[in-house]
Amino acid sequence: MAIISEVEEESSSSRPSMLPFRATFNSSNPLGFLEKVFDFLGQQSDFLKKPSAEEEIAAVVRAAKEKLRKAEKKAEKESVKPVEKKPEKETVKPTMAASSAEPMEVEKPKEEKKKETQTGPIVPNIGNGTDLENYSWVQTLQEVTVNVPVPTGTKARSVVCEIKKNRLKLGLKGQDPIIDGELYRSVKPDDCYWNIEDQKVISVLLTKQDQMEWWKCCVKGEPEIDTQKVEPESSKLADLDPETRSTVEKMMFDQRQKQMGLPTSDELQKQEILKKFMSQHPEMDFSNAKIN
């Protein structure tokens, strides 16, 4: 493609003159065309001698690129058509007639898919429990507290709550239960109770049967937490009896040691006994001994 342009140049008499510029543009070698343009400028003007020539040329290039970018963005928006949302597949149960044919692809419910994607224990919430879709729960070594949001204005007489040794059923009258399942561990039903707070949250307190174990979940089948990452409040230790407090402190120490890859209190005690035995029997050679 031939391009012809006219360039103004001041002559010695300060009168402008029109000089023709002829060059053939080859799309496979655009730089060659630009070289001819700059050669022409250098021969017919003092533009390239200006200190700001490079900055001015760069500014022109940036402006051209921005113009091109806007044009491409506009064309892209015009070419994109809204995508029609396809209806979700319904769950289809295979029939006896279909058993002899090719296997049917059955779409699984969203809740079931969600459970399949959860692998491994999760990090506990700030209360050493879990925040689930319909309720949340927190725990200490002695108790588990379950909090269930309900519509504002809910009265106590509308609540259905059954607390058994190994099972919890909770919901509102005339509706499906919000919680209905086997508890992670046994509780003391006589020491459990529930109340409704501000007519919008049902709070259930469960007293653990074994008060020296952290629960991994409230109801079996729900996502389990990583009990190695449980952080009991140190301020609560003062409320425990000396024996329980000593046990809890030992558990906390062992937990921190395991996280750092260090020996637990029992392992340290065994190492101390071994050192004492070795010091009492210097005549024995332990250099080649393998001790677990």
Side-chain angles (χ1 to χ4, degrees), residues 4-5 25 32 58 82 95 102 117 146 153 157 171 179 185 214 217 248 275:
I4 302 176
S5 63
F25 177 74
T95 60
E102 295 183 359
T117 57
V146 182
R157 60 177 177 269
I179 302 174
R185 290 288 186 267
W214 295 108
C217 61
V248 173
K275 289 180 181 178

Side-chain angles (χ1 to χ4, degrees), residues 59-73:
V60 173
V61 173
R62 286 195 296 270
K65 289 177 67 176
E66 180 66 18
K67 185 177 179 181
L68 178 61
R69 186 188 66 82
K70 290 181 178 179
E72 291 178 345
K73 191 174 182 180

